């Protein structure tokens, strides 16, 4: 323990919190189950709902997010496929050779993860995870001292900061999606354009300043050489050799002929094999899809950006990269495997939403918090509200359907622009992902880590971000 005492105050704080979390944090699935019990009991005690009624709310809520859940899985899967293309993997490998010490490595991974997640959070999550693992491997081979748990947190920083006010942010895109529930119920008069949210000066300033501040926090958190634990303490050395070839079939991914139907490749490919791997067949439909996406933005501008357009665009970008339909299908299958934990847990969190909504618990919590705000402090209060509820409902769009009405109505009463209210909410939802392990499941699988190995440092970063976000949300002009 003597070596643990060395280092700065920030380094010791990160180490202490990491020790506590590693000892006590449950698995992500158990986390969801425990939260279900917490909301169940809270609905009974706070709202006076009966146990049987709460069970009914839980069951009814289980199936309310199927459409949205599929949209989220598609964002993650399409981002995964693009991130695992050999061209992207080779770019990642080159990036890992840049840092000369552990602190530079952590900052580089964090900045790239945050920037890419702003573009597409699924891509940012997977690129961050792959980059963290590859950086850990390169550090081991080059003899650099890098604390692997913090490196993995850096790879998760896009989900913990920039994703929800970026190009694939659930709430901003949902508010610009025709026929969304807020328009249908008359909560807002019409669509809230991305020019008021994602592309507003308020949001862009938050993005730039947030990345700079988070990079500084990661730099200060990086442990001393004596306290750093490398990747080989968590991932067996045998699994680090040949990770590129093990993770993706580069022959198939580059559009080459696979041997799935031709045994060892010595037999003459059948006509169906040729069609399955035809770059012409895959390329034409891929370019058509990409062309449709480009035409949509050319004719409608950035206001066309919504969840469906984002998924459509990345679905065909992936196919354009792989060109071979069979190679793309195989890689997509791998991507879906990476989302299995999310698919399993999404209905449980939808059940939590059902209990919170139907019992009135979500409205009570949101109204209590929002009632203490003023026009000046409202963005910070919306951030806190979203952050608290995100512990129980770790789905940006799903959570927005829970508290969006309350936040938008309060913003209207206080004279706060609805776009600013959406962005402030999005900040809170992303921020507490740093203690909610739901969206980290793909990262944990890729990096070979457990949630409790990583989330001590993630929670520390979450705490360090609080003063910056509180000040930025209030002081940055909209």
């Amino acid at each position: 323990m003597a070596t643990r005492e060395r280092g700065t105050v920030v380094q010791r704080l990160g180490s202490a919190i990491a020790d506590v979390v590693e000892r006590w944090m449950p698995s992500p699935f158990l986390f969801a189950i425990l939260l279900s019990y917490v909301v169940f009991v809270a609905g009974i005690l706070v709202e006076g709902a009966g146990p049987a009624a709460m069970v009914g709310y839980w069951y009814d809520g289980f199936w309310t997010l199927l459409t949205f859940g599929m949209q989220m899985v598609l964002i993650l899967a399409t981002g995964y496929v693009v991130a695992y293309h050999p061209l992207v993997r080779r770019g990642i490998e080159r990036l890992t050779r840049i840092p000369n010490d552990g602190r530079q490595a952590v900052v580089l991974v964090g900045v790239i993860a945050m920037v890419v997640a702003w573009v597409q959070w699924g891509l940012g999550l997977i690129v961050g995870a792959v980059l963290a693992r590859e950086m850990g491997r390169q550090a081991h081979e080059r003899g650099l001292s890098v604390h692997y748990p913090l490196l993995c947190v850096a790879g998760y920083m896009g989900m913990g900061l920039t994703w929800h006010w970026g190009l694939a942010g659930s709430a901003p895109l949902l508010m610009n999606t025709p026929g969304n529930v807020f328009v249908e119920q008359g909560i807002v008069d019409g669509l809230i354009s991305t020019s008021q949210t994602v592309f507003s000066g308020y949001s862009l300033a938050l993005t730039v300043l947030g990345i700079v501040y988070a990079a500084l926090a990661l730099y200060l958190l990086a442990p001393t050489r004596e306290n750093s634990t490398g990747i080989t303490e968590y991932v067996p050395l045998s699994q680090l050799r040949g990770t590129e070839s093990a993770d993706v079939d580069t022959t198939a991914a580059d559009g080459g002929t696979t041997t799935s139907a031709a045994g060892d490749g010595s037999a003459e490919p059948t006509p169906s094999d040729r069609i399955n791997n035809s770059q012409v067949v895959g390329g034409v439909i891929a370019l058509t899809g990409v062309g449709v996406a480009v035409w949509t933005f050319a004719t409608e501008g950035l206001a066309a950006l919504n969840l469906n357009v984002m998924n459509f665009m990345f679905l065909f970008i992936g196919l354009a990269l792989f060109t071979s339909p069979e190679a793309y299908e195989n890689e997509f299958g791998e991507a879906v495997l990476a989302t299995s934990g999310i698919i399993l847990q999404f209905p449980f969190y939808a059940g939590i939403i059902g209990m919170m909504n139907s019992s009135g618990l979500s409205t009570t919590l949101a109204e209590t918090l929002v009632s203490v705000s003023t026009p000046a402090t409202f963005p910070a209060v919306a951030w806190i509200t979203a952050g608290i509820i995100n512990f129980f409902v770790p789905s940006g769009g799903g959570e927005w359907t829970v508290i969006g009405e309350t936040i938008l109505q309060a913003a209207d009463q206080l004279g706060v622009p609805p776009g600013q209210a959406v962005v402030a909410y999005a900040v809170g939802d992303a921020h507490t992902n740093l203690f909610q392990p739901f969206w980290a499941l793909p990262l944990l699988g890729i990096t070979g880590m457990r949630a409790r190995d990583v989330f001590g440092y993630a929670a520390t970063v979450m705490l360090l971000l609080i003063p910056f976000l509180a000040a930025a949300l209030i002081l940055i002009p909209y």
Side-chain angles (χ1 to χ4, degrees), residues 25 31 35 156 349 390-394 432-440 455:
M25 188 172 191
F31 198 86
L35 287 177
Y156 189 59
Y349 283 108
N390 185 55
F391 283 116
F392 302 95
V393 188
T432 47
N433 278 343
L434 290 167
F435 196 71
Q436 172 38 279
F438 179 71
W439 292 111
F455 273 82

mmCIF file with all atom_site columns, all heavy atoms in Angstrom, residues 25 31 35 156 349 390-394 432-440 455:
data_model
loop_
_atom_site.group_PDB
_atom_site.id
_atom_site.type_symbol
_atom_site.label_atom_id
_atom_site.label_alt_id
_atom_site.label_comp_id
_atom_site.label_asym_id
_atom_site.label_entity_id
_atom_site.label_seq_id
_atom_site.pdbx_PDB_ins_code
_atom_site.Cartn_x
_atom_site.Cartn_y
_atom_site.Cartn_z
_atom_site.occupancy
_atom_site.B_iso_or_equiv
_atom_site.pdbx_formal_charge
_atom_site.auth_seq_id
_atom_site.auth_comp_id
_atom_site.auth_asym_id
_atom_site.auth_atom_id
_atom_site.pdbx_PDB_model_num
ATOM 1   N N   . MET A 1 25  ? -18.985 -3.034 -6.763  1.00 0.00 ? 25  MET A N   1
ATOM 2   C CA  . MET A 1 25  ? -19.885 -2.866 -7.913  1.00 0.00 ? 25  MET A CA  1
ATOM 3   C C   . MET A 1 25  ? -20.356 -4.213 -8.463  1.00 0.00 ? 25  MET A C   1
ATOM 4   O O   . MET A 1 25  ? -19.551 -5.098 -8.751  1.00 0.00 ? 25  MET A O   1
ATOM 5   C CB  . MET A 1 25  ? -19.183 -2.085 -9.034  1.00 0.00 ? 25  MET A CB  1
ATOM 6   C CG  . MET A 1 25  ? -20.131 -1.708 -10.166 1.00 0.00 ? 25  MET A CG  1
ATOM 7   S SD  . MET A 1 25  ? -19.349 -0.598 -11.355 1.00 0.00 ? 25  MET A SD  1
ATOM 8   C CE  . MET A 1 25  ? -20.785 -0.092 -12.312 1.00 0.00 ? 25  MET A CE  1
ATOM 9   N N   . PHE A 1 31  ? -26.953 -5.092 -11.852 1.00 0.00 ? 31  PHE A N   1
ATOM 10  C CA  . PHE A 1 31  ? -27.212 -3.669 -11.643 1.00 0.00 ? 31  PHE A CA  1
ATOM 11  C C   . PHE A 1 31  ? -28.632 -3.326 -12.105 1.00 0.00 ? 31  PHE A C   1
ATOM 12  O O   . PHE A 1 31  ? -29.381 -2.637 -11.404 1.00 0.00 ? 31  PHE A O   1
ATOM 13  C CB  . PHE A 1 31  ? -26.182 -2.856 -12.428 1.00 0.00 ? 31  PHE A CB  1
ATOM 14  C CG  . PHE A 1 31  ? -26.049 -1.425 -12.000 1.00 0.00 ? 31  PHE A CG  1
ATOM 15  C CD1 . PHE A 1 31  ? -25.212 -1.061 -10.956 1.00 0.00 ? 31  PHE A CD1 1
ATOM 16  C CD2 . PHE A 1 31  ? -26.751 -0.420 -12.652 1.00 0.00 ? 31  PHE A CD2 1
ATOM 17  C CE1 . PHE A 1 31  ? -25.079 0.268  -10.566 1.00 0.00 ? 31  PHE A CE1 1
ATOM 18  C CE2 . PHE A 1 31  ? -26.625 0.907  -12.271 1.00 0.00 ? 31  PHE A CE2 1
ATOM 19  C CZ  . PHE A 1 31  ? -25.779 1.253  -11.226 1.00 0.00 ? 31  PHE A CZ  1
ATOM 20  N N   . LEU A 1 35  ? -31.770 -2.190 -9.658  1.00 0.00 ? 35  LEU A N   1
ATOM 21  C CA  . LEU A 1 35  ? -32.488 -0.936 -9.893  1.00 0.00 ? 35  LEU A CA  1
ATOM 22  C C   . LEU A 1 35  ? -33.980 -1.181 -10.058 1.00 0.00 ? 35  LEU A C   1
ATOM 23  O O   . LEU A 1 35  ? -34.801 -0.341 -9.665  1.00 0.00 ? 35  LEU A O   1
ATOM 24  C CB  . LEU A 1 35  ? -31.917 -0.234 -11.128 1.00 0.00 ? 35  LEU A CB  1
ATOM 25  C CG  . LEU A 1 35  ? -30.547 0.417  -10.975 1.00 0.00 ? 35  LEU A CG  1
ATOM 26  C CD1 . LEU A 1 35  ? -30.099 1.008  -12.302 1.00 0.00 ? 35  LEU A CD1 1
ATOM 27  C CD2 . LEU A 1 35  ? -30.563 1.504  -9.904  1.00 0.00 ? 35  LEU A CD2 1
ATOM 28  N N   . TYR A 1 156 ? -14.133 5.071  -23.233 1.00 0.00 ? 156 TYR A N   1
ATOM 29  C CA  . TYR A 1 156 ? -15.573 5.192  -22.965 1.00 0.00 ? 156 TYR A CA  1
ATOM 30  C C   . TYR A 1 156 ? -16.010 6.653  -22.848 1.00 0.00 ? 156 TYR A C   1
ATOM 31  O O   . TYR A 1 156 ? -17.198 6.935  -22.683 1.00 0.00 ? 156 TYR A O   1
ATOM 32  C CB  . TYR A 1 156 ? -15.887 4.447  -21.661 1.00 0.00 ? 156 TYR A CB  1
ATOM 33  C CG  . TYR A 1 156 ? -17.350 4.280  -21.334 1.00 0.00 ? 156 TYR A CG  1
ATOM 34  C CD1 . TYR A 1 156 ? -18.221 3.622  -22.192 1.00 0.00 ? 156 TYR A CD1 1
ATOM 35  C CD2 . TYR A 1 156 ? -17.860 4.760  -20.127 1.00 0.00 ? 156 TYR A CD2 1
ATOM 36  C CE1 . TYR A 1 156 ? -19.559 3.450  -21.869 1.00 0.00 ? 156 TYR A CE1 1
ATOM 37  C CE2 . TYR A 1 156 ? -19.193 4.591  -19.791 1.00 0.00 ? 156 TYR A CE2 1
ATOM 38  C CZ  . TYR A 1 156 ? -20.041 3.940  -20.667 1.00 0.00 ? 156 TYR A CZ  1
ATOM 39  O OH  . TYR A 1 156 ? -21.370 3.765  -20.344 1.00 0.00 ? 156 TYR A OH  1
ATOM 40  N N   . TYR A 1 349 ? -34.816 -2.318 -18.463 1.00 0.00 ? 349 TYR A N   1
ATOM 41  C CA  . TYR A 1 349 ? -34.863 -0.873 -18.247 1.00 0.00 ? 349 TYR A CA  1
ATOM 42  C C   . TYR A 1 349 ? -36.170 -0.283 -18.776 1.00 0.00 ? 349 TYR A C   1
ATOM 43  O O   . TYR A 1 349 ? -36.671 0.705  -18.240 1.00 0.00 ? 349 TYR A O   1
ATOM 44  C CB  . TYR A 1 349 ? -33.646 -0.205 -18.884 1.00 0.00 ? 349 TYR A CB  1
ATOM 45  C CG  . TYR A 1 349 ? -32.398 -0.382 -18.051 1.00 0.00 ? 349 TYR A CG  1
ATOM 46  C CD1 . TYR A 1 349 ? -31.374 -1.237 -18.446 1.00 0.00 ? 349 TYR A CD1 1
ATOM 47  C CD2 . TYR A 1 349 ? -32.257 0.297  -16.842 1.00 0.00 ? 349 TYR A CD2 1
ATOM 48  C CE1 . TYR A 1 349 ? -30.242 -1.410 -17.667 1.00 0.00 ? 349 TYR A CE1 1
ATOM 49  C CE2 . TYR A 1 349 ? -31.128 0.132  -16.061 1.00 0.00 ? 349 TYR A CE2 1
ATOM 50  C CZ  . TYR A 1 349 ? -30.126 -0.721 -16.476 1.00 0.00 ? 349 TYR A CZ  1
ATOM 51  O OH  . TYR A 1 349 ? -29.014 -0.893 -15.687 1.00 0.00 ? 349 TYR A OH  1
ATOM 52  N N   . ASN A 1 390 ? -30.965 9.001  -15.270 1.00 0.00 ? 390 ASN A N   1
ATOM 53  C CA  . ASN A 1 390 ? -30.177 8.116  -16.128 1.00 0.00 ? 390 ASN A CA  1
ATOM 54  C C   . ASN A 1 390 ? -29.657 6.894  -15.379 1.00 0.00 ? 390 ASN A C   1
ATOM 55  O O   . ASN A 1 390 ? -29.409 5.846  -15.993 1.00 0.00 ? 390 ASN A O   1
ATOM 56  C CB  . ASN A 1 390 ? -29.006 8.884  -16.745 1.00 0.00 ? 390 ASN A CB  1
ATOM 57  C CG  . ASN A 1 390 ? -28.218 8.045  -17.739 1.00 0.00 ? 390 ASN A CG  1
ATOM 58  O OD1 . ASN A 1 390 ? -28.774 7.500  -18.682 1.00 0.00 ? 390 ASN A OD1 1
ATOM 59  N ND2 . ASN A 1 390 ? -26.917 7.920  -17.520 1.00 0.00 ? 390 ASN A ND2 1
ATOM 60  N N   . PHE A 1 391 ? -29.482 6.994  -14.065 1.00 0.00 ? 391 PHE A N   1
ATOM 61  C CA  . PHE A 1 391 ? -29.088 5.816  -13.303 1.00 0.00 ? 391 PHE A CA  1
ATOM 62  C C   . PHE A 1 391 ? -30.118 4.702  -13.436 1.00 0.00 ? 391 PHE A C   1
ATOM 63  O O   . PHE A 1 391 ? -29.791 3.524  -13.464 1.00 0.00 ? 391 PHE A O   1
ATOM 64  C CB  . PHE A 1 391 ? -28.923 6.175  -11.818 1.00 0.00 ? 391 PHE A CB  1
ATOM 65  C CG  . PHE A 1 391 ? -27.649 6.893  -11.508 1.00 0.00 ? 391 PHE A CG  1
ATOM 66  C CD1 . PHE A 1 391 ? -27.676 8.195  -11.023 1.00 0.00 ? 391 PHE A CD1 1
ATOM 67  C CD2 . PHE A 1 391 ? -26.422 6.280  -11.688 1.00 0.00 ? 391 PHE A CD2 1
ATOM 68  C CE1 . PHE A 1 391 ? -26.499 8.864  -10.724 1.00 0.00 ? 391 PHE A CE1 1
ATOM 69  C CE2 . PHE A 1 391 ? -25.236 6.942  -11.392 1.00 0.00 ? 391 PHE A CE2 1
ATOM 70  C CZ  . PHE A 1 391 ? -25.278 8.235  -10.905 1.00 0.00 ? 391 PHE A CZ  1
ATOM 71  N N   . PHE A 1 392 ? -31.394 5.105  -13.511 1.00 0.00 ? 392 PHE A N   1
ATOM 72  C CA  . PHE A 1 392 ? -32.478 4.124  -13.556 1.00 0.00 ? 392 PHE A CA  1
ATOM 73  C C   . PHE A 1 392 ? -32.932 3.816  -14.987 1.00 0.00 ? 392 PHE A C   1
ATOM 74  O O   . PHE A 1 392 ? -33.462 2.738  -15.254 1.00 0.00 ? 392 PHE A O   1
ATOM 75  C CB  . PHE A 1 392 ? -33.678 4.651  -12.749 1.00 0.00 ? 392 PHE A CB  1
ATOM 76  C CG  . PHE A 1 392 ? -33.340 4.961  -11.326 1.00 0.00 ? 392 PHE A CG  1
ATOM 77  C CD1 . PHE A 1 392 ? -33.005 6.250  -10.935 1.00 0.00 ? 392 PHE A CD1 1
ATOM 78  C CD2 . PHE A 1 392 ? -33.341 3.963  -10.367 1.00 0.00 ? 392 PHE A CD2 1
ATOM 79  C CE1 . PHE A 1 392 ? -32.677 6.539  -9.621  1.00 0.00 ? 392 PHE A CE1 1
ATOM 80  C CE2 . PHE A 1 392 ? -33.010 4.245  -9.043  1.00 0.00 ? 392 PHE A CE2 1
ATOM 81  C CZ  . PHE A 1 392 ? -32.683 5.533  -8.674  1.00 0.00 ? 392 PHE A CZ  1
ATOM 82  N N   . VAL A 1 393 ? -32.730 4.772  -15.894 1.00 0.00 ? 393 VAL A N   1
ATOM 83  C CA  . VAL A 1 393 ? -33.173 4.605  -17.283 1.00 0.00 ? 393 VAL A CA  1
ATOM 84  C C   . VAL A 1 393 ? -32.003 4.987  -18.200 1.00 0.00 ? 393 VAL A C   1
ATOM 85  O O   . VAL A 1 393 ? -31.966 6.086  -18.739 1.00 0.00 ? 393 VAL A O   1
ATOM 86  C CB  . VAL A 1 393 ? -34.399 5.485  -17.597 1.00 0.00 ? 393 VAL A CB  1
ATOM 87  C CG1 . VAL A 1 393 ? -34.959 5.139  -18.974 1.00 0.00 ? 393 VAL A CG1 1
ATOM 88  C CG2 . VAL A 1 393 ? -35.472 5.331  -16.533 1.00 0.00 ? 393 VAL A CG2 1
ATOM 89  N N   . PRO A 1 394 ? -31.030 4.077  -18.395 1.00 0.00 ? 394 PRO A N   1
ATOM 90  C CA  . PRO A 1 394 ? -29.834 4.435  -19.151 1.00 0.00 ? 394 PRO A CA  1
ATOM 91  C C   . PRO A 1 394 ? -30.015 4.352  -20.657 1.00 0.00 ? 394 PRO A C   1
ATOM 92  O O   . PRO A 1 394 ? -29.230 3.751  -21.377 1.00 0.00 ? 394 PRO A O   1
ATOM 93  C CB  . PRO A 1 394 ? -28.821 3.384  -18.673 1.00 0.00 ? 394 PRO A CB  1
ATOM 94  C CG  . PRO A 1 394 ? -29.666 2.190  -18.428 1.00 0.00 ? 394 PRO A CG  1
ATOM 95  C CD  . PRO A 1 394 ? -30.965 2.721  -17.868 1.00 0.00 ? 394 PRO A CD  1
ATOM 96  N N   . THR A 1 432 ? -23.749 10.859 -16.540 1.00 0.00 ? 432 THR A N   1
ATOM 97  C CA  . THR A 1 432 ? -23.809 9.773  -15.562 1.00 0.00 ? 432 THR A CA  1
ATOM 98  C C   . THR A 1 432 ? -23.693 8.391  -16.200 1.00 0.00 ? 432 THR A C   1
ATOM 99  O O   . THR A 1 432 ? -23.769 7.380  -15.496 1.00 0.00 ? 432 THR A O   1
ATOM 100 C CB  . THR A 1 432 ? -25.093 9.864  -14.720 1.00 0.00 ? 432 THR A CB  1
ATOM 101 O OG1 . THR A 1 432 ? -26.220 10.069 -15.566 1.00 0.00 ? 432 THR A OG1 1
ATOM 102 C CG2 . THR A 1 432 ? -25.000 10.998 -13.722 1.00 0.00 ? 432 THR A CG2 1
ATOM 103 N N   . ASN A 1 433 ? -23.484 8.332  -17.514 1.00 0.00 ? 433 ASN A N   1
ATOM 104 C CA  . ASN A 1 433 ? -23.076 7.055  -18.103 1.00 0.00 ? 433 ASN A CA  1
ATOM 105 C C   . ASN A 1 433 ? -21.742 6.604  -17.521 1.00 0.00 ? 433 ASN A C   1
ATOM 106 O O   . ASN A 1 433 ? -21.390 5.423  -17.602 1.00 0.00 ? 433 ASN A O   1
ATOM 107 C CB  . ASN A 1 433 ? -22.930 7.174  -19.623 1.00 0.00 ? 433 ASN A CB  1
ATOM 108 C CG  . ASN A 1 433 ? -24.255 7.048  -20.339 1.00 0.00 ? 433 ASN A CG  1
ATOM 109 O OD1 . ASN A 1 433 ? -25.242 6.577  -19.784 1.00 0.00 ? 433 ASN A OD1 1
ATOM 110 N ND2 . ASN A 1 433 ? -24.283 7.474  -21.595 1.00 0.00 ? 433 ASN A ND2 1
ATOM 111 N N   . LEU A 1 434 ? -21.004 7.547  -16.939 1.00 0.00 ? 434 LEU A N   1
ATOM 112 C CA  . LEU A 1 434 ? -19.714 7.225  -16.345 1.00 0.00 ? 434 LEU A CA  1
ATOM 113 C C   . LEU A 1 434 ? -19.852 6.440  -15.044 1.00 0.00 ? 434 LEU A C   1
ATOM 114 O O   . LEU A 1 434 ? -18.835 6.037  -14.457 1.00 0.00 ? 434 LEU A O   1
ATOM 115 C CB  . LEU A 1 434 ? -18.910 8.498  -16.103 1.00 0.00 ? 434 LEU A CB  1
ATOM 116 C CG  . LEU A 1 434 ? -18.400 9.178  -17.388 1.00 0.00 ? 434 LEU A CG  1
ATOM 117 C CD1 . LEU A 1 434 ? -17.891 10.578 -17.104 1.00 0.00 ? 434 LEU A CD1 1
ATOM 118 C CD2 . LEU A 1 434 ? -17.311 8.331  -18.044 1.00 0.00 ? 434 LEU A CD2 1
ATOM 119 N N   . PHE A 1 435 ? -21.087 6.228  -14.588 1.00 0.00 ? 435 PHE A N   1
ATOM 120 C CA  . PHE A 1 435 ? -21.294 5.305  -13.460 1.00 0.00 ? 435 PHE A CA  1
ATOM 121 C C   . PHE A 1 435 ? -22.370 4.278  -13.766 1.00 0.00 ? 435 PHE A C   1
ATOM 122 O O   . PHE A 1 435 ? -22.650 3.420  -12.945 1.00 0.00 ? 435 PHE A O   1
ATOM 123 C CB  . PHE A 1 435 ? -21.655 6.073  -12.178 1.00 0.00 ? 435 PHE A CB  1
ATOM 124 C CG  . PHE A 1 435 ? -21.501 5.224  -10.946 1.00 0.00 ? 435 PHE A CG  1
ATOM 125 C CD1 . PHE A 1 435 ? -20.231 4.867  -10.501 1.00 0.00 ? 435 PHE A CD1 1
ATOM 126 C CD2 . PHE A 1 435 ? -22.602 4.778  -10.238 1.00 0.00 ? 435 PHE A CD2 1
ATOM 127 C CE1 . PHE A 1 435 ? -20.083 4.072  -9.373  1.00 0.00 ? 435 PHE A CE1 1
ATOM 128 C CE2 . PHE A 1 435 ? -22.457 3.986  -9.104  1.00 0.00 ? 435 PHE A CE2 1
ATOM 129 C CZ  . PHE A 1 435 ? -21.194 3.630  -8.663  1.00 0.00 ? 435 PHE A CZ  1
ATOM 130 N N   . GLN A 1 436 ? -22.972 4.345  -14.925 1.00 0.00 ? 436 GLN A N   1
ATOM 131 C CA  . GLN A 1 436 ? -24.028 3.414  -15.319 1.00 0.00 ? 436 GLN A CA  1
ATOM 132 C C   . GLN A 1 436 ? -23.428 2.494  -16.396 1.00 0.00 ? 436 GLN A C   1
ATOM 133 O O   . GLN A 1 436 ? -23.136 2.937  -17.495 1.00 0.00 ? 436 GLN A O   1
ATOM 134 C CB  . GLN A 1 436 ? -25.222 4.222  -15.825 1.00 0.00 ? 436 GLN A CB  1
ATOM 135 C CG  . GLN A 1 436 ? -26.390 3.527  -16.476 1.00 0.00 ? 436 GLN A CG  1
ATOM 136 C CD  . GLN A 1 436 ? -26.814 2.206  -15.911 1.00 0.00 ? 436 GLN A CD  1
ATOM 137 O OE1 . GLN A 1 436 ? -26.211 1.201  -16.217 1.00 0.00 ? 436 GLN A OE1 1
ATOM 138 N NE2 . GLN A 1 436 ? -27.879 2.204  -15.131 1.00 0.00 ? 436 GLN A NE2 1
ATOM 139 N N   . PRO A 1 437 ? -23.224 1.198  -16.089 1.00 0.00 ? 437 PRO A N   1
ATOM 140 C CA  . PRO A 1 437 ? -22.433 0.337  -16.977 1.00 0.00 ? 437 PRO A CA  1
ATOM 141 C C   . PRO A 1 437 ? -23.174 -0.207 -18.192 1.00 0.00 ? 437 PRO A C   1
ATOM 142 O O   . PRO A 1 437 ? -22.591 -0.960 -18.973 1.00 0.00 ? 437 PRO A O   1
ATOM 143 C CB  . PRO A 1 437 ? -22.030 -0.814 -16.047 1.00 0.00 ? 437 PRO A CB  1
ATOM 144 C CG  . PRO A 1 437 ? -23.158 -0.916 -15.071 1.00 0.00 ? 437 PRO A CG  1
ATOM 145 C CD  . PRO A 1 437 ? -23.609 0.513  -14.847 1.00 0.00 ? 437 PRO A CD  1
ATOM 146 N N   . PHE A 1 438 ? -24.431 0.165  -18.396 1.00 0.00 ? 438 PHE A N   1
ATOM 147 C CA  . PHE A 1 438 ? -25.244 -0.433 -19.460 1.00 0.00 ? 438 PHE A CA  1
ATOM 148 C C   . PHE A 1 438 ? -24.578 -0.326 -20.827 1.00 0.00 ? 438 PHE A C   1
ATOM 149 O O   . PHE A 1 438 ? -24.376 -1.317 -21.528 1.00 0.00 ? 438 PHE A O   1
ATOM 150 C CB  . PHE A 1 438 ? -26.622 0.232  -19.477 1.00 0.00 ? 438 PHE A CB  1
ATOM 151 C CG  . PHE A 1 438 ? -27.545 -0.277 -20.546 1.00 0.00 ? 438 PHE A CG  1
ATOM 152 C CD1 . PHE A 1 438 ? -28.092 -1.533 -20.466 1.00 0.00 ? 438 PHE A CD1 1
ATOM 153 C CD2 . PHE A 1 438 ? -27.864 0.519  -21.628 1.00 0.00 ? 438 PHE A CD2 1
ATOM 154 C CE1 . PHE A 1 438 ? -28.954 -2.004 -21.446 1.00 0.00 ? 438 PHE A CE1 1
ATOM 155 C CE2 . PHE A 1 438 ? -28.718 0.061  -22.617 1.00 0.00 ? 438 PHE A CE2 1
ATOM 156 C CZ  . PHE A 1 438 ? -29.269 -1.209 -22.523 1.00 0.00 ? 438 PHE A CZ  1
ATOM 157 N N   . TRP A 1 439 ? -24.212 0.901  -21.222 1.00 0.00 ? 439 TRP A N   1
ATOM 158 C CA  . TRP A 1 439 ? -23.663 1.097  -22.562 1.00 0.00 ? 439 TRP A CA  1
ATOM 159 C C   . TRP A 1 439 ? -22.197 0.705  -22.666 1.00 0.00 ? 439 TRP A C   1
ATOM 160 O O   . TRP A 1 439 ? -21.621 0.695  -23.761 1.00 0.00 ? 439 TRP A O   1
ATOM 161 C CB  . TRP A 1 439 ? -23.849 2.553  -23.004 1.00 0.00 ? 439 TRP A CB  1
ATOM 162 C CG  . TRP A 1 439 ? -25.276 2.895  -23.230 1.00 0.00 ? 439 TRP A CG  1
ATOM 163 C CD1 . TRP A 1 439 ? -26.051 3.727  -22.484 1.00 0.00 ? 439 TRP A CD1 1
ATOM 164 C CD2 . TRP A 1 439 ? -26.120 2.404  -24.279 1.00 0.00 ? 439 TRP A CD2 1
ATOM 165 N NE1 . TRP A 1 439 ? -27.329 3.777  -22.989 1.00 0.00 ? 439 TRP A NE1 1
ATOM 166 C CE2 . TRP A 1 439 ? -27.399 2.981  -24.093 1.00 0.00 ? 439 TRP A CE2 1
ATOM 167 C CE3 . TRP A 1 439 ? -25.928 1.527  -25.352 1.00 0.00 ? 439 TRP A CE3 1
ATOM 168 C CZ2 . TRP A 1 439 ? -28.472 2.716  -24.935 1.00 0.00 ? 439 TRP A CZ2 1
ATOM 169 C CZ3 . TRP A 1 439 ? -27.003 1.257  -26.199 1.00 0.00 ? 439 TRP A CZ3 1
ATOM 170 C CH2 . TRP A 1 439 ? -28.255 1.844  -25.989 1.00 0.00 ? 439 TRP A CH2 1
ATOM 171 N N   . ALA A 1 440 ? -21.570 0.368  -21.546 1.00 0.00 ? 440 ALA A N   1
ATOM 172 C CA  . ALA A 1 440 ? -20.166 -0.042 -21.577 1.00 0.00 ? 440 ALA A CA  1
ATOM 173 C C   . ALA A 1 440 ? -19.997 -1.517 -21.915 1.00 0.00 ? 440 ALA A C   1
ATOM 174 O O   . ALA A 1 440 ? -18.865 -1.985 -22.054 1.00 0.00 ? 440 ALA A O   1
ATOM 175 C CB  . ALA A 1 440 ? -19.511 0.245  -20.232 1.00 0.00 ? 440 ALA A CB  1
ATOM 176 N N   . PHE A 1 455 ? -14.990 1.081  -13.609 1.00 0.00 ? 455 PHE A N   1
ATOM 177 C CA  . PHE A 1 455 ? -15.889 2.175  -13.253 1.00 0.00 ? 455 PHE A CA  1
ATOM 178 C C   . PHE A 1 455 ? -15.483 2.963  -12.021 1.00 0.00 ? 455 PHE A C   1
ATOM 179 O O   . PHE A 1 455 ? -16.102 3.970  -11.707 1.00 0.00 ? 455 PHE A O   1
ATOM 180 C CB  . PHE A 1 455 ? -17.324 1.655  -13.149 1.00 0.00 ? 455 PHE A CB  1
ATOM 181 C CG  . PHE A 1 455 ? -18.021 1.684  -14.476 1.00 0.00 ? 455 PHE A CG  1
ATOM 182 C CD1 . PHE A 1 455 ? -17.840 0.662  -15.390 1.00 0.00 ? 455 PHE A CD1 1
ATOM 183 C CD2 . PHE A 1 455 ? -18.801 2.765  -14.838 1.00 0.00 ? 455 PHE A CD2 1
ATOM 184 C CE1 . PHE A 1 455 ? -18.441 0.702  -16.633 1.00 0.00 ? 455 PHE A CE1 1
ATOM 185 C CE2 . PHE A 1 455 ? -19.404 2.820  -16.075 1.00 0.00 ? 455 PHE A CE2 1
ATOM 186 C CZ  . PHE A 1 455 ? -19.221 1.794  -16.977 1.00 0.00 ? 455 PHE A CZ  1
#
